[in-house]
């Protein structure tokens, strides 16, 4: 009977994923249909290409999971699917408003990047049979992360016209943001490094104000990552990536050691970095001015002022509680409504209720990632899955907080939703890693006492 239950359990997980995927594809297809009905008053056959293409790709990954990772978590893939589908629907809606056609449509490019992202996720799930193999290449991934971060400084690679030195252009026709892939490499490096050094980092230090503080020699890694984050902010003019890398490291450090003092040290480091940046860097000062005095007419009218932020806030206000309805708002008024400001675009047409539903999807996705880590028995898988999940959580907070004026706006993208190939590929690779880790965790033998 135990053997029979063990055989049936993976099939049950995949069947649950199958029905959730059907529901996710139905939501994405319905969103596309509502966009066309709201904006065009008719159903265009293109909806079959967009919605059907997404469905074929995600079910291809589902079939692969049935074969090679039957114990993987059944909720991660459907949630990523519905978020990606809603993002494509909103990008398509803005294409209609701006009268884009053919390959000029951002939704067509997003669908192509979705295909590439899912192909990459499928390849990773198939190739990475045992996620613990990544532990052997800890320092190699650390080197790869650093190389990816400095790629924009290599002569001939920097993309022209970019506000920050974070884009790389190959041949003038293909551009990507290496920092998105760097965060995955650095997450693997941090996980491997902390597994190797957690005993020394957890060693007893001096107690002050009721908190045990680490010794000075253990502060080295935090100082290195803090300085790396500052260098990214200064040299690449990329406030978001610097905050993301430093926050990810501090979170993983706390999970590895369980010491509150590391969190306090991290907060002090963030405060010191923000203070220095606002005093030295002009573009950071402008970000804070736009945040603190957004509705000042002079700030709105200034070059690089708060016009975009204010338009996004008015768009959210226009949507109200239940929204204007898909295809019936005016999200295109806000600059970069399909990428940096896709949250206000969705909030205008879906309302606060719809926006909260999207945030709840993120919360479930992140909680599943944390659950995968907590259920594991090896420290590397625990740190890697929780680190990747926290990265998604922090990125969502930074973007949603920025466009709603909770914190200063940075240059990150909203995971799965925003237009952009680099971010989409990186986030779907995170999905593949979480699926592989969850499959490995479920396959680990359980120790039964008694």
């Amino acid at each position: 009977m135990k053997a029979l239950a063990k055989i049936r359990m993976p099939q049950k997980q995949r069947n649950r994923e199958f029905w959730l995927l059907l529901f996710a594809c139905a939501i994405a297809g319905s969103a596309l249909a509502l966009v066309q009905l709201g904006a065009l008053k008719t159903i265009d056959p293109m909806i079959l290409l967009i919605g059907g293409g997404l469905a074929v790709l995600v079910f291809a990954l589902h079939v692969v999971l049935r074969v090679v990772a039957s114990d993987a978590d059944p909720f991660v893939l459907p949630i990523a699917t519905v978020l990606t589908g809603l993002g494509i629907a909103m990008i398509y809606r803005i294409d209609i408003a701006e009268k884009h056609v053919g390959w000029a449509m951002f939704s067509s490019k997003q669908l192509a990047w979705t295909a590439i992202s899912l192909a990459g996720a499928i390849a990773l799930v198939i190739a990475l049979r045992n996620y613990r193999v990544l532990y052997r290449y800890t320092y190699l991934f650390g080197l790869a992360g650093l190389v990816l971060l400095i790629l924009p400084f290599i002569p001939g690679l920097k993309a022209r016209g970019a506000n920050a030195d974070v884009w790389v252009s190959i041949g003038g026709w293909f551009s990507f943001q290496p920092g998105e892939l760097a965060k995955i490499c650095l997450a693997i490096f941090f996980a491997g490094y902390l597994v190797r050094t957690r005993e020394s980092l957890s060693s007893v230090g001096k107690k002050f104000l009721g908190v045990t503080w680490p010794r000075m020699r253990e502060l080295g890694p935090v100082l290195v990552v803090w300085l790396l984050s500052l260098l990214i902010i200064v040299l690449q003019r990329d406030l978001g990536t610097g905050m993301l890398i430093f926050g990810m490291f501090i979170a993983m450090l706390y999970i590895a050691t369980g010491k509150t003092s590391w969190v306090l040290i991290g907060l002090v480091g963030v405060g010191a970095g923000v203070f220095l940046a606002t005093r030295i860097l002009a573009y950071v000062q402008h970000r804070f001015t736009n945040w603190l005095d957004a509705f000042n007419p002079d700030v709105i009218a200034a070059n690089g002022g708060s016009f975009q932020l204010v338009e996004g806030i008015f768009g959210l206000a226009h949507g109200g509680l239940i929204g204007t309805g898909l295809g019936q708002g005016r999200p295109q008024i806000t600059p970069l409504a399909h990428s940096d400001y896709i949250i206000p675009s969705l909030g205008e047409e879906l309302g606060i209720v719809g926006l909260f539903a999207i945030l709840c999807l993120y919360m479930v996705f992140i909680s599943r990632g944390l659950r995968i880590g907590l259920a594991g028995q090896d420290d590397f898988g625990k740190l890697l899955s929780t680190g990747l999940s926290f990265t998604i959580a922090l990125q969502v907070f930074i973007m949603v907080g920025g466009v709603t004026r909770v914190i200063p706006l940075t240059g990150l993208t909203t995971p799965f939703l925003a237009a952009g190939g680099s971010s989409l590929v990186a986030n779907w690779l995170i999905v593949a890693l979480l699926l592989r880790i969850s499959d490995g965790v479920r396959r680990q033998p359980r120790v039964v006492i008694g």
Side-chain angles (χ1 to χ4, degrees), residues 80-248:
T81 299
V82 71
L83 288 172
T84 302
L86 288 174
I88 292 174
M90 180 49 61
I91 295 168
Y92 178 50
R93 185 267 172 278
I94 296 170
D95 282 333
I96 293 174
E98 296 182 349
K99 303 186 185 305
H100 293 156
V101 294
W103 189 243
M105 299 177 67
F106 290 106
S107 56
S108 299
K109 297 175 183 177
Q110 188 75 352
L111 186 60
W113 278 113
T114 302
I116 295 172
S117 302
L118 281 162
I122 292 171
L124 183 58
V125 168
I126 294 174
L128 189 64
R129 294 303 179 98
N130 186 351
Y131 68 88
R132 298 174 190 85
V133 173
L134 300 175
Y135 180 71
R136 301 177 187 174
Y137 307 101
T138 296
Y139 295 101
L140 185 61
F141 276 106
L143 177 62
L146 292 177
V147 170
L148 286 169
L149 289 176
I150 65 174
L151 275 181
F153 297 106
I154 297 178
L157 289 181
K158 178 184 174 182
R160 297 179 180 179
N163 293 328
D165 297 328
V166 296
W167 288 93
V168 168
S169 177
I170 299 176
W173 60 272
F174 175 73
S175 300
F176 73 100
Q177 193 172 352
E180 291 289 342
L181 298 178
K183 69 183 181 184
I184 300 178
C185 294
L186 291 177
I188 297 172
F189 167 69
F190 292 154
Y193 173 80
L194 291 173
V195 168
R196 288 176 167 86
T197 59
R198 63 180 303 173
E199 290 186 5
S200 61
L201 293 172
S202 302
S203 60
V204 178
K206 294 183 179 180
K207 198 167 186 179
F208 180 68
L209 297 177
V211 178
T212 302
W213 297 85
R215 295 174 297 185
M216 287 302 298
R217 63 188 181 192
E218 272 79 46
L219 288 175
V222 177
L223 293 176
V224 170
V225 177
W226 181 69
L227 290 174
L228 175 64
S229 303
L230 285 181
L231 284 175
I232 293 172
I233 295 172
V234 173
L235 299 178
Q236 293 190 335
R237 296 169 55 87
D238 187 8
L239 182 62
T241 302
M243 292 174 59
L244 192 66
I245 291 174
F246 187 68
M248 176 176 62

